[in-house]
Amino acid sequence: MPTPDGMISRKTVLKAAAALGAAPLLIGSGAALAREQAGNGRAPGLTPECHDGDDPTVEQIEGPYFKPDSPLRTSMVGDGPGTRLTVSGYVFGRACRPVPGVLLDFWQADDSGAYDNAGYTFRGHQFTDAGGAFRLDTVVPGLYPGRTRHLHVKLQAPGRPVLTTQLYFPGEPRNGTDGIFDARLLMTVRQNGPVREASYDFVLDVPQNPGTPTPTPTPTTTPTGGPTTPPGSGWTPGAAYRAGDRVTYSGASYVCLQAHTAMVGWEPPNVPALWQRS
């Protein structure tokens, strides 16, 4: 739809590109990962809102309705069958600095496309850690009638307004026909064995001082003080890693994105928020 000044909006262009099958070209260009914009001197674009009638009414009892009081948890894989999916990333403010303590409340359809409106199946909330990172373990949602495949999420930084939005999968046939779909909300997704690994960085309207040194998840090749472990050493549970440390796992090399203590279940291929294959 043309804007009041006659210009075509960026959203319209992105949706048209997705409908023509060009959406995958956006995945590697930084459209989804705000961390790639850190240090370029420009403020990142805010994550757009998305709303499709998720306020329940008495007359309409089916649909993707938000429910308060979801359980505090980062894994919903036990809620039902389906293809394993991990969704990880960061929440940034206006200056592309990570925001800790952000509430993320996720809800989605199950593998067959049904929502649980009686209980809390495939519903849960969590908070970003001190580095602004989050991770959700779940399953790929099924197709809901009339919609493309998607995840719902509400985000609220401490003391800031709530953002309600959705996340989408690249390459979905219905992306081009879904009237709500927005290519700016496409996740980057890759297949890792039986698991799909998705990444997305949210950008909230949180004022930040761009002149303040910015913590960043982007790995450094020569971290101050040297790596915790020799470059190329094997990944070890219980080891303390710092950003920039390099390890090998199952014959592949990885760079640590964020300082953490390794534990079983956080093997490098399973946690793209912590490790990047190099």
Side-chain angles (χ1 to χ4, degrees):
M1 176 180 297
T3 57
D5 60 3
M7 298 296 290
I8 301 299
S9 71
R10 178 173 179 268
K11 179 177 179 180
T12 300
V13 173
L14 290 170
K15 291 183 71 174
L20 292 173
L25 297 178
L26 301 172
I27 303 307
S29 65
L33 297 179
R35 73 194 77 160
E36 297 175 5
Q37 303 176 42
N40 66 4
R42 299 191 303 269
L46 300 181
T47 301
E49 285 193 87
C50 193
H51 190 282
D52 65 343
D54 44 296
D55 295 320
T57 63
V58 175
E59 294 80 12
Q60 190 174 19
I61 61 173
E62 294 182 356
Y65 302 140
F66 171 72
K67 291 181 60 176
D69 302 321
S70 67
L72 175 64
R73 56 177 177 168
T74 59
S75 177
M76 302 189 295
V77 294
D79 284 7
T83 301
R84 285 285 304 273
L85 171 69
T86 65
V87 181
S88 61
Y90 296 85
V91 179
F92 294 106
R94 295 296 296 265
C96 212
R97 295 174 54 202
V99 183
V102 175
L103 169 66
L104 299 98
D105 202 335
F106 291 95
W107 73 103
Q108 65 172 85
D110 63 17
D111 183 57
S112 64
Y115 286 84
D116 177 14
N117 293 314
Y120 290 93
T121 301
F122 289 113
R123 298 174 184 270
H125 72 273
Q126 59 179 279
F127 296 87
T128 56
D129 64 15
F134 70 93
R135 173 191 166 102
L136 174 69
D137 292 304
T138 183
V139 303
V140 175
L143 287 169
Y144 182 79
R147 293 298 317 280
T148 191
R149 209 177 302 273
H150 62 281
L151 299 168
H152 294 269
V153 59
K154 286 181 180 285
L155 301 95
Q156 184 175 33
R160 305 296 297 177
V162 175
L163 169 71
T164 301
T165 191
Q166 299 177 31
L167 296 177
Y168 298 102
F169 295 77
E172 287 290 325
R174 295 188 185 180
N175 285 353
T177 58
D178 189 320
I180 299 171
F181 171 77
D182 190 326
R184 292 172 295 176
L185 295 165
L186 279 167
M187 299 181 287
T188 59
V189 182
R190 69 170 185 170
Q191 193 74 33
N192 183 12
V195 180
R196 290 192 192 181
E197 296 176 344
S199 296
Y200 189 84
D201 294 339
F202 296 96
V203 180
L204 300 183
D205 191 9
V206 175
Q208 294 176 324
N209 180 5
T212 303
T214 303
T216 174
T218 305
T220 56
T221 55
T222 55
T224 303
T228 304
T229 56
S233 64
W235 178 85
T236 305
Y241 294 106
R242 292 184 294 183
D245 286 355
R246 296 177 179 272
V247 301
T248 58
Y249 184 85
S250 297
S253 298
Y254 295 86
V255 177
C256 182
L257 298 177
Q258 178 175 267
H260 68 284
T261 299
M263 59 181 290
V264 174
W266 286 9
E267 293 81 1
N270 298 332
V271 280
L274 298 178
W275 294 100
Q276 181 181 69
R277 188 163 178 169
S278 61

